[in-house]
Amino acid sequence: MMKNTVFAALGLLLIVSCNKDDDGPSIQPPRDRGEVQLESEANIRAYLQTHTYNYEEFETPAADFDYEIVFDTIAGSNATKTPLIDHPNLIATQYEFQDVNYTLYVLVAKEGAGAQPSFADSTYVNYQGNIVGDSKFDGTTTPIWFNLPETIFGYGNGLKELKAGTQISLNEDGTFNYGTDYGVGAVFIPSGLGYFSTARTLIPAYSDLVFRFKLYGVNQADQDNDGVPNAEEDINKNSYLYDVADDTDGDGIANFEDIDDDGDGILTRDEIDFNENGNAIRPFRDSNSDGTPDYLDPDN
């Protein structure tokens, strides 16, 4: 499964490969991110231009429709269908990550009717992961909870374009009925927003990925239980929680995992105010009125 250690490794890991002119392995540094990004963009766009999906089934779903996205090439009976790149349900969003600009392509086949997650929340999903234009490497048959900060950048920021369902109910046999109003989508992830130079089981280094998912449920996440939701711990608002900017006290622990964000010895929970329902009150307390809330200000 995707772990937060992947983020720490992105752009830093060295790849070991076999050198025919040497008796042992040689260390190959990661490739230039900008160069790889150009290759990824070309690869993903080529796929989007030559493939379509079963949008007619989503537009007029049959009673027994399973709401599965099926990609297919534009040929034969599909020759007149709209390619993914031109479909109105495809969203292209720009992100800057490790000083490189990337495009994340998200297909919203069905938006959903419930709560919409941030990139940093906890989500209840079914998913399938493939290398773009190639084989499946992972997937679920029953839904699982995913804490999005522990996934790769492209996954959480793709899933946030959907909304959860509202019709989950428990059947008499202990199984669940998820209704039909949950979100269904897919995200095309350039390798730089995925595992980049890190090879994983069934995923070669520099692989561009596509995840299809169904979003059944959402919980707002506060990983360190300090009263500040994960998404609000993204200080520089770049949809990534492991930047240096998101570690206010510089102790090597990202704010969303740090119970004392400013390192002043006072717990974050003790530097903010809560209402009678236990929710943090905004704006956050700023005792010295310097524009920095107490929980991020060691000099308050």
Side-chain angles (χ1 to χ4, degrees), residues 31 33-51 85 101-105 132-133 188-192 206 208:
R31 294 178 56 199
R33 275 187 168 269
E35 182 179 287
V36 174
Q37 183 274 334
L38 292 175
E39 295 174 1
S40 292
E41 178 71 4
N43 181 44
I44 291 173
R45 285 187 65 85
Y47 185 91
L48 296 174
Q49 289 164 349
T50 57
H51 288 73
I85 195 71
N101 292 320
Y102 294 95
T103 303
L104 195 67
Y105 295 94
V132 172
F188 293 84
I189 305 174
S191 69
Y206 307 111
D208 304 316

Side-chain angles (χ1 to χ4, degrees), residues 135-235:
S135 57
K136 173 183 174 181
F137 59 81
D138 197 7
T140 57
T141 55
T142 57
I144 62 173
W145 282 100
F146 257 123
N147 192 23
L148 294 182
E150 297 179 354
T151 67
I152 54 177
F153 184 106
Y155 189 94
N157 282 287
L159 194 56
K160 74 181 184 184
E161 300 291 348
L162 299 181
K163 294 179 181 178
T166 65
Q167 301 170 340
I168 296 179
S169 60
L170 181 64
N171 299 319
E172 291 184 0
D173 61 1
T175 62
F176 286 91
N177 184 338
Y178 300 103
T180 59
D181 69 348
Y182 50 82
V184 182
V187 57
F188 293 84
I189 305 174
S191 69
L193 298 182
Y195 299 113
F196 193 53
S197 60
T198 306
R200 297 176 64 86
T201 304
L202 302 180
I203 308 176
Y206 307 111
S207 292
D208 304 316
L209 311 176
V210 54
F211 284 92
R212 282 169 277 189
F213 34 63
K214 297 178 180 180
L215 176 59
Y216 301 117
V218 173
N219 280 334
Q220 185 182 70
D222 176 8
Q223 191 150 324
D224 53 9
N225 195 33
D226 64 356
V228 185
N230 285 355
E232 293 185 51
E233 306 253 37
D234 180 20
I235 304 301

Side-chain angles (χ1 to χ4, degrees), residues 255-271:
N255 284 1
F256 84 103
E257 298 176 320
D258 193 341
I259 60 175
D260 178 10
D261 290 338
D262 58 6
D264 63 356
I266 304 173
L267 297 182
T268 294
R269 289 192 67 87
D270 294 334
E271 295 192 280

